[in-house]
Amino acid sequence: MKSFVPLLLALAVGAGPAADALAASSLHHTKAAAKSAKTAKAGRKAGKKAKAVAPARPAIDYDGEAVNFSDWQAVREFEDDIVARNGFERAQIEDVIKRARFIDSAVQLVKPAPPGKPKNWQAYSDRFIEPIRINAGVRFWNENADLLARAEATYGVPAEIIVGILGVETIYGRDTGRFRVVDVLTTLAFAYPEAPNRADRMAFFRGELENTLLLARKENIDPFSLLGSFAGAVGMPQFMPSNILKLGVDFDGDGIVDLRGSAADAIGSVANFLVQHGWDRNNTGPAVFPADVAPSLAWQPLLGGLEARYRPDELGGAGIATRSALPDGRLYGLVDLQNGADPTEYWVANANFFAITKYNRSYFYAMSVVELGRAVRLARGI
């Protein structure tokens, strides 16, 4: 068995010009894309060769509280379980757990938002479809054009969707998180705040803590060298440790899945994630269509969920009308984007849109990926 040694470990929707069906919603963001076009023109020459520059390792920005987690009965049972199941050396696991620190800020950040605040799609999207991310996306696309083209050919996921996800997640590796993954996962695995789903969430984070230790053993790294988000997500695409193990792709062929330092691995891993969660490479048209809903409200039972379940005739029968014809032979779902006191936007989405929601279970998130990717493409003049 390999020992832990201190080395650094180096995770939407549209298809090219067809995604221009998004224009009805994207008018708000068109100016930002236009302002970025000049930057794109200057940067395209730099994109002849793909680059993968590792971002500087961020400093840890918290102290945490020194507690001896191994004194907790639930932690001792967890240690027994993973040692028996995975063949870890007991002393090795105890040493890791004893060094873990309690991170109260992680506990506070996973608490649900206070009730009563209305959802606002426009305010949410303004955080992501803006000049900084668009310009950074143009540079990233220019520098990694060959890799993005290879991922599109291999997996069938358009470059703009991969670019959209990496831009929304970390601004292309600029902000990958400054928490030690072992600390936040240990904290959330055993001290998750009171909530109706507390038991399920603690089980999830215990699984991710176990997978962090398995990942460290597999890559022969110090588990404390892994830095990430307050919930333990790692690297440019913000994969949880389990997804690094299951879905991470060594797209640059160097023998290591490196989601912190390799743009190639991040690009390939995002594409693989989407394919494994239902992305249909044969559906090359737009994945979202602006829609109008009838006053009868017969369409309301069709709202909700993260799957495409309805035929076009079923949508029409419920009073949902798209502004362009839906391709036959596919299933769709109804998506609502609430705008606070302003009217709600309605969209009809296919399976590719819902594949993006498996990355983050939010209509707002998936639509932001779609619109950011489109804005970057337009800024590049494509």
Side-chain angles (χ1 to χ4, degrees):
M1 180 179 65
K2 294 179 180 178
S3 62
F4 296 136
V5 297
L7 298 172
L8 179 63
L9 178 66
L11 174 197
V13 184
D20 287 344
L22 292 172
S25 175
S26 298
L27 288 175
H28 179 81
H29 304 297
T30 299
K31 290 184 179 180
K35 288 180 181 179
S36 303
K38 291 184 179 180
T39 303
K41 186 176 181 181
R44 275 195 291 273
K45 291 182 179 179
K48 300 298 183 182
K49 295 182 179 180
K51 296 180 182 179
V53 179
R57 181 175 178 176
I60 297 172
D61 63 353
Y62 67 90
D63 292 324
E65 180 182 350
V67 299
N68 192 347
F69 281 106
S70 290
D71 286 343
W72 301 9
Q73 179 63 30
V75 175
R76 292 197 297 271
E77 292 173 357
F78 169 79
E79 292 172 343
D80 290 341
D81 188 34
I82 66 170
V83 166
R85 185 164 54 247
N86 300 300
F88 288 117
E89 294 178 8
R90 180 61 186 247
Q92 198 172 52
I93 298 303
E94 288 179 346
D95 177 67
V96 171
I97 298 300
K98 283 179 180 177
R99 288 191 287 144
R101 300 179 75 87
F102 178 86
I103 310 301
D104 183 66
S105 56
V107 175
Q108 301 307 316
L109 286 165
V110 298
K111 290 182 178 179
K117 186 175 181 179
K119 296 180 179 179
N120 190 314
W121 156 243
Q122 208 60 73
Y124 180 97
S125 64
D126 283 347
R127 294 162 46 198
F128 299 105
I129 300 86
E130 46 78 33
I132 290 176
R133 287 180 202 262
I134 294 171
N135 291 333
V138 169
R139 288 192 296 272
F140 182 84
W141 196 329
N142 288 341
E143 293 169 357
N144 297 284
D146 291 344
L147 289 168
L148 289 161
R150 179 157 66 90
E152 186 165 345
T154 303
Y155 295 99
V157 179
E160 69 185 79
I161 298 305
I162 300 171
V163 168
I165 285 178
L166 293 174
V168 168
E169 288 292 341
T170 64
I171 319 181
Y172 311 100
R174 187 176 302 180
D175 184 10
T176 58
R178 296 188 290 179
F179 291 90
R180 292 196 310 186
V181 169
V182 169
D183 291 343
V184 294
L185 291 180
T186 304
T187 298
L188 297 175
F190 300 102
Y192 196 87
E194 289 298 328
N197 62 345
R198 183 173 187 261
D200 289 341
R201 298 307 292 163
M202 290 175 72
F204 169 78
F205 285 111
R206 290 178 193 187
E208 293 300 333
L209 177 57
E210 179 178 2
N211 278 296
T212 298
L213 299 172
L214 290 169
L215 176 64
R217 182 171 69 181
K218 178 175 182 288
E219 301 295 347
N220 199 24
I221 62 168
D222 177 1
F224 286 97
S225 72
L226 284 169
L227 305 182
S229 74
F230 68 87
V234 174
M236 282 188 231
Q238 294 290 275
F239 270 23
M240 295 300 288
S242 61
N243 280 329
I244 298 175
L245 289 168
K246 290 186 298 184
L247 301 173
V249 172
D250 175 20
F251 207 54
D252 59 14
D254 67 354
I256 300 172
V257 175
D258 174 10
L259 299 187
R260 295 193 63 194
S262 170
D265 290 359
I267 287 167
S269 297
V270 168
N272 186 47
F273 179 98
L274 292 175
V275 168
Q276 297 302 320
H277 288 85
W279 187 275
D280 179 6
R281 69 181 304 150
N282 296 316
N283 190 353
T284 57
V288 286
F289 300 80
D292 298 305
V293 294
S296 67
L297 304 184
W299 45 268
Q300 283 191 335
L302 278 61
L303 270 175
L306 300 176
E307 295 180 39
R309 295 179 291 178
Y310 304 106
R311 301 186 309 271
D313 63 300
E314 292 177 304
L315 296 173
I320 302 165
T322 54
R323 300 169 198 173
S324 57
L326 296 175
D328 290 327
R330 301 189 185 281
L331 298 178
Y332 301 89
L334 180 62
V335 170
D336 61 331
L337 302 179
Q338 299 172 38
N339 270 315
D342 294 328
T344 297
E345 292 182 23
Y346 293 95
W347 296 77
V348 167
N350 69 15
N352 285 349
F353 179 88
F354 291 108
I356 298 174
T357 66
K358 303 306 189 296
Y359 210 110
N360 182 310
R361 299 171 66 85
S362 163
Y363 294 161
F364 281 14
Y365 174 88
M367 189 63 80
S368 291
V369 166
V370 171
E371 291 210 348
L372 177 59
R374 177 180 180 273
V376 173
R377 173 171 60 78
L378 291 176
R380 294 183 76 235
I382 297 176

